Amino acid sequence: MSDQQQRQAGTAWHALSAEHVLGRQGVASTTGLSGDEVQARRSDVGPNALAEEPPLPAWKRLAAQFQDLVIWILIVAAIISGLLEEWVETAAILAIVIVNGIIGYVQEARAERALASLQKLSAPLAKVLRGGQLVGVPAADLVPGDIIELEAGDNVPADARLLEAFSLRVQEAALTGESVPTEKEAEAVLAEAAPLGDRRTMVYSGTVVAAGHSTAVIVATGMQTELGHIAGMLSRWHPEVTPLQRRLSELGRILIVFCLAIVAIIFGLESWRGEQDFFELLLFSASLAVAAVPEGLPAVVTLVLAIGLQRMVARNALVRKLPSVETLGSVTVICSDKTGTLTRNEMTVREIETAEGRVHVSGSGYAPHGEFTRSHGDATAVPVDAKADPDLGHLLTIAAWCNNAKVSPCGEGDAWEVVGDPTEGALISVAMKAGIDPGSRGKVAYEIPFDSERKTMSVVVLGDGGPVMYTKGAPEVLLEKCVAERRQGVVVPLDEQRRAVIREINARMAANALRVLAFASREPATEAEGEYAERDLVFVGLVGMIDPPRDEVRAAMATCRTAGIRPVMITGDHPATARAIARELQMIDGSQAEADETVVTGEFLDKLSDEALAARVESIAVYARVSAEHKLRVVNAWRSRGDVVAMTGDGVNDAPAVKAADIGIAMGITGTDVTKESSDMVLTDDNFASIITAVEEGRGIYDNIQKFIHYLLSCNAGEVLLMFVAAAAGWPPPLLAIQILWINLVTDGLPALALGMETTEPDIMQRQPRPPREPVITLERGLMILSHGMLIAGVCVAAYWLAYRGNPDHAGAGPFHHLLRGGVFPALLYHRLPQ
């Protein structure tokens, strides 16, 4: 690492003053870097770009399809068949292996583009001060020490410490999980341990300026940025085998032992009889071992997984990797990001408080559909005509006027989107619910824009009685500017007792994780020297909003609990907000004390070792104010306990944990490209409930895999026992190798595929998750397979004896082979036997 890179890494830039940062970077705020200094620093730290690993060659991705032990058993079987000069059998087995590999390759043909997707988040151009001149340069040419200017709509090109900030708000949801833009302050004093979401003096690469403008000095570029740190975590991850791959490998080892045992027994038995020479005996024993291998198993497994994948697509779950189809059915823990996954990532007004009391607002997201109700004590909620109510209607009018956002329908269904600030979008939406049309607003005569120091915004409009000032802002600030209150349309004095009550209401709403704004007005508004002042206002009320849980998530959470799946929330948002959402979803108990024990922050996680976290992870339901690295640690802690973990997310900060989980799940609509490319599955409707339907489908697929493996192995056991009895009795072989292959592939393969396509059992989501280490064939099921094989072998031995009766000319003739070739018979028999 170079000297400059060392200065970038490990420094708490957010905790240093702007002057100190300029001194550390060796740059003057008035001139910026010179051309020579830029060249020297670029040669030291490299371009402002993320390092990319070369993509995996296509031949390696294809070769990966042939790594399963069962596939290697088939390859060995083909080699043995070739040595026996059974060329038809050899060609058939190799065809199975090749087709199986091609199906898997085609399904997984997308190249890993996670780091390339991260690269797309980099800003293409930046405004930078070089040699005293403001110039536009490619973002890749920026170096630490460059002074940049940012304004609304700009992508932040690198990590930078603010020098000046004017009403600056930055949308950091993709990086921190914050639902609303974060207010930034150049002069804020922060602790070194401040979490990423609280670093108000910094702006980070990959985020977007929502409002205001600023100047900042770059302190980290390329892989040294927070975005680069996430890219580094992605590149360090290496894929692991899925539960199904592990179980099939275990089954392969069992088959190897079984085949070797058959070879040994038959070889010993025939050697004792002494009727064949050594080489013929060896080849005969080996061919019998080939007969024991269910050649159709890999192809049926691949086809069933591919069919399951198509079923999941129809249920809004796009699975990118075939084995992940079954992995979903093994999930024991679902770790979910909050913003955009459990919630809509759309601010929604929930409560309005006026002098007449509290009003509840229904609906969620920006869609302007909902009702207003008021309840007093335990009384039934009474609908309210919000537009006609003198106080509530006036408040919503202020919300519509004091606003620069727009909401409009988008796409199909009832989806709406906001253009502008999400908080203002929520206010427009609630005004439209009351029947107030924002489009009917007249012209604003004067505006006092929001300022991070004043924490208020005002507009002056021309009413019938003259100019009227409408104001919104932080409750604690706006209340001090008010001298009266509006009550039933009448202005009354605002005394200290009433002020105390309003403060208590504000504190209660904030404690419930609502983002609270106050609203006031003055009529008529007066100006002095051509300007209007925010003073002598009339207090109208408070509005509380939140990014609410998705409507369908509540039912999905209940299904999780019934199915024995543990849901866990991991978010970069504030603990109070995370706790409120978790309570609504019943992820934690309603008592405050218990909630405190089950909700922890990233700062707390920093104090725990990986071992200590693994020991406590089961008792923690919510993780708040966490970074990408914290999310990764939580996922790894659950996996270290032997759990099968699914991780859902949509932001860049979710990508490392999504990739490290046993099953990574990304949001298809709101998800970033990097998260989608890091995932195993993408939800095309961004619906958490679709995860539960996918888990149900995954469990059904594994049930079906067990059924057809049971069926195939029962049939193969019957064949082997038949051949064994014939050898022991000195009879000619009842079946030729090519006949056995035909039975294994065709007459057994098609009924096995039918078993694999059975519908899901009705009670499958009432069962507990199967143990992650449980083999695909348990001891109980293995004994049942053996008993079914003995029954099939008994019927076939009797049929063969009736056809043979000591006459070699009758062997292999008559109805016996029709019985054996009719693999549907054992399939029907299997359905009649207890499982």
Side-chain angles (χ1 to χ4, degrees), residues 266 269-270 272-273 722-731:
I266 298 297
L269 184 62
E270 292 294 337
W272 176 72
R273 293 179 56 173
L722 170 64
M723 299 291 283
F724 177 78
V725 170
W731 301 343

Side-chain angles (χ1 to χ4, degrees), residues 50-392:
L50 301 178
E52 294 188 47
E53 292 183 354
L56 196 66
W59 69 268
K60 284 189 177 181
R61 295 199 305 274
L62 181 60
Q65 307 300 321
F66 303 97
Q67 292 179 352
D68 288 346
L69 189 55
V70 175
I71 294 294
W72 280 103
I73 293 174
L74 291 183
I75 292 174
V76 171
I79 293 172
I80 293 174
S81 299
L83 293 175
L84 293 171
E85 297 185 357
E86 297 285 353
W87 304 118
V88 176
E89 182 176 343
T90 302
I93 295 175
L94 289 178
I96 292 169
V97 171
I98 293 170
V99 170
N100 185 76
I102 291 174
I103 292 174
Y105 176 80
V106 169
Q107 292 289 350
E108 300 175 11
R110 292 183 183 178
E112 290 291 329
R113 295 189 298 269
L115 296 180
S117 298
L118 273 171
Q119 189 71 48
K120 293 176 186 176
L121 294 174
S122 300
L125 289 174
K127 297 184 287 290
V128 59
L129 190 64
R130 295 267 176 89
Q133 299 294 321
L134 188 65
V135 295
V137 301
D141 292 343
L142 295 176
V143 296
D146 265 332
I147 294 176
I148 57 173
E149 288 195 2
L150 298 170
E151 59 185 23
D154 285 349
N155 289 331
V156 179
D159 291 1
R161 171 59 164 87
L162 294 174
L163 302 177
E164 294 177 317
F166 302 95
S167 303
L168 184 68
R169 284 180 289 171
V170 180
Q171 180 57 266
E172 297 181 330
L175 196 61
T176 67
E178 286 276 10
S179 305
V180 296
T182 304
E183 294 181 9
K184 299 293 184 176
E185 300 177 49
E187 304 301 325
V189 178
L190 304 176
E192 287 191 18
L196 187 65
D198 291 337
R199 298 175 188 174
R200 303 192 308 280
T201 60
M202 295 286 296
V203 288
Y204 292 101
S205 176
T207 61
V208 181
V209 178
H213 62 278
S214 69
T215 58
V217 57
I218 293 177
V219 296
T221 57
M223 294 299 291
Q224 299 302 318
T225 63
E226 290 294 329
L227 198 64
H229 179 58
I230 293 174
M233 286 191 283
L234 285 172
S235 64
R236 291 194 298 270
W237 178 86
H238 299 286
E240 299 181 8
V241 295
T242 66
L244 178 62
Q245 289 171 324
R246 184 172 58 247
R247 290 184 174 106
L248 291 180
S249 293
E250 292 169 356
L251 177 61
R253 286 190 287 270
I254 293 172
L255 289 175
I256 288 175
V257 173
F258 185 57
C259 291
L260 292 176
I262 290 172
V263 170
I265 292 172
I266 298 297
F267 187 83
L269 184 62
E270 292 294 337
S271 296
W272 176 72
R273 293 179 56 173
E275 295 181 358
Q276 299 184 58
D277 64 41
F278 178 81
F279 185 71
E280 289 181 354
L281 179 56
L282 182 62
L283 292 181
F284 172 74
S285 302
S287 65
L288 187 56
V290 171
V293 177
E295 285 85 357
L297 178 59
V300 174
V301 169
T302 301
L303 286 172
V304 167
L305 291 177
I307 292 167
L309 184 148
Q310 297 305 317
R311 285 181 181 173
M312 289 184 178
V313 169
R315 303 181 77 171
N316 302 310
L318 176 61
V319 180
R320 301 178 60 238
K321 300 172 183 176
L322 267 187
S324 301
V325 174
E326 183 277 333
T327 305
L328 280 161
S330 307
V331 165
T332 58
V333 178
I334 298 179
C335 296
S336 177
D337 177 45
K338 177 187 73 68
T339 306
T341 306
L342 297 177
T343 65
R344 300 176 62 94
N345 197 17
E346 298 177 359
M347 296 299 290
T348 305
V349 173
R350 282 288 187 83
E351 288 185 18
I352 301 176
E353 191 84 31
T354 66
E356 289 301 298
R358 188 186 316 168
V359 174
H360 295 277
V361 185
S362 64
S364 60
Y366 298 124
H369 310 307
E371 297 181 348
F372 297 81
T373 57
R374 178 179 280 134
S375 58
H376 299 279
D378 296 331
T380 304
V382 178
V384 175
D385 186 344
K387 189 175 182 179
D389 186 284
D391 299 338
L392 184 56

Side-chain angles (χ1 to χ4, degrees), residues 122 534 788:
S122 300
E534 296 170 336
H788 291 175

Side-chain angles (χ1 to χ4, degrees), residues 768-789:
Q768 294 298 299
R770 60 184 177 275
R773 295 292 174 180
E774 179 184 84
V776 68
I777 301 297
T778 61
L779 177 61
E780 180 182 1
R781 186 175 287 272
L783 293 175
M784 194 177 300
I785 288 173
L786 185 60
S787 65
H788 291 175

Side-chain angles (χ1 to χ4, degrees), residues 622-634:
V622 178
Y623 300 84
R625 227 54 179 152
V626 294
S627 65
E629 190 168 4
H630 293 138
K631 294 184 179 187
L632 183 60
R633 287 187 63 201
V634 172

Side-chain angles (χ1 to χ4, degrees), residues 508-698:
R508 175 192 59 77
M509 295 173 75
N512 289 330
L514 294 175
R515 180 181 175 88
V516 186
L517 288 176
F519 294 81
S521 64
R522 190 174 86 214
E523 186 176 355
T526 58
E527 61 179 321
E529 298 180 357
E531 294 186 357
Y532 292 89
E534 296 170 336
R535 64 172 186 269
D536 301 331
L537 301 175
V538 177
F539 187 82
V540 181
L542 301 171
V543 169
M545 63 189 76
I546 195 171
D547 178 18
R550 294 174 178 269
D551 297 334
E552 63 278 358
V553 170
R554 295 177 179 85
M557 286 289 177
T559 304
C560 276
R561 290 187 285 272
T562 303
I565 300 171
R566 173 71 184 276
V568 178
M569 181 192 297
I570 311 178
T571 178
D573 216 335
H574 290 279
T577 306
R579 181 181 292 116
I581 298 298
R583 279 182 182 160
E584 274 201 58
L585 297 176
Q586 298 183 344
M587 295 177 68
I588 60 176
D589 191 87
S591 66
Q592 182 70 32
E594 184 169 350
D596 285 340
E597 294 174 2
T598 55
V599 179
V600 301
T601 63
E603 186 178 359
F604 177 81
L605 290 180
D606 287 334
K607 300 174 183 177
L608 295 180
S609 65
D610 290 342
E611 293 75 17
L613 176 59
R616 297 192 55 172
V617 71
E618 192 172 7
S619 64
I620 303 172
V622 178
Y623 300 84
R625 227 54 179 152
V626 294
S627 65
E629 190 168 4
H630 293 138
K631 294 184 179 187
L632 183 60
R633 287 187 63 201
V634 172
V635 168
N636 288 335
W638 277 107
R639 296 186 73 232
S640 69
R641 296 165 51 89
D643 285 279
V644 178
V645 182
M647 173 70 196
T648 74
D650 61 347
V652 176
N653 59 331
D654 301 316
V658 165
K659 193 159 190 175
D662 294 288
I663 179 78
I665 304 171
M667 302 294 110
I669 300 173
T670 60
T672 57
D673 286 343
V674 60
T675 309
K676 293 176 188 176
E677 293 302 327
S678 299
S679 67
D680 302 298
M681 184 177 87
V682 177
L683 300 181
T684 57
D685 62 348
D686 281 16
N687 190 337
F688 182 87
S690 296
I691 300 173
I692 307 306
T693 60
V695 169
E696 179 182 359
E697 193 72 43

